[in-house]
Amino acid sequence: MSSTEESEVVVLGWWVSMYTTRVQIALAEKGIDYEYVEHDLFGDKSPLLLKHNPIYKKVPVFIHKGKPICESLIIVQYINETWKDGCSLLPSDPYLKSQAAFWADYIDKHFCIRVCPYAGLVKYGV
């Protein structure tokens, strides 16, 4: 059994990914220890990534007790609901929670960094 399979919490990520950073911030806020496995998405996809995210084949992937969760906003919600100690990452009020989800989605769609692997360019969406 590999160390990744033995760890309770594993994050498959890429240092460039703001989505990976979102998950790392949530884990830090909750004080959760985790194993980080770096994935360069311009290279070949690792068997570990393909096993745990066969649909999108992208990071971040959050693995808790061997069960994978994909998509950073879903991962943050899972972290918040699983580790209830400490501060809440999301508002408890349904309206405020919907507003937080709206702005997170807006940032994802309008302010994300897009990297063009063929030209080596970084574009900022606005």
Side-chain angles (χ1 to χ4, degrees), residues 71-114:
E71 298 298 318
S72 64
L73 293 176
I74 296 168
I75 295 168
V76 169
Q77 182 178 359
Y78 178 85
I79 291 168
N80 195 52
E81 292 175 4
T82 303
W83 288 273
K84 298 188 184 289
D85 293 342
C87 66
S88 179
L89 301 173
L90 300 168
S92 59
D93 177 84
Y95 177 75
L96 294 176
K97 190 180 289 187
S98 73
Q99 292 301 297
F102 170 85
W103 287 111
D105 182 64
Y106 182 85
I107 289 168
D108 287 353
K109 290 178 179 169
H110 298 284
F111 293 100
C112 68
I113 298 174
R114 295 182 178 90

Side-chain angles (χ1 to χ4, degrees), residues 27-101:
L27 290 166
E29 284 295 318
K30 289 290 190 174
I32 300 165
D33 292 329
Y34 63 96
E35 178 183 348
Y36 177 77
V37 181
E38 178 74 15
H39 286 274
D40 180 351
L41 298 182
F42 292 147
D44 292 332
K45 311 279 191 211
S46 76
L48 186 63
L49 178 62
L50 296 175
K51 173 184 175 185
H52 291 296
N53 193 353
I55 304 298
Y56 293 117
K57 302 173 182 77
K58 63 181 183 177
V59 296
V61 177
F62 180 83
I63 305 168
H64 182 221
K65 296 181 180 178
K67 298 177 183 174
I69 301 166
C70 304
E71 298 298 318
S72 64
L73 293 176
I74 296 168
I75 295 168
V76 169
Q77 182 178 359
Y78 178 85
I79 291 168
N80 195 52
E81 292 175 4
T82 303
W83 288 273
K84 298 188 184 289
D85 293 342
C87 66
S88 179
L89 301 173
L90 300 168
S92 59
D93 177 84
Y95 177 75
L96 294 176
K97 190 180 289 187
S98 73
Q99 292 301 297

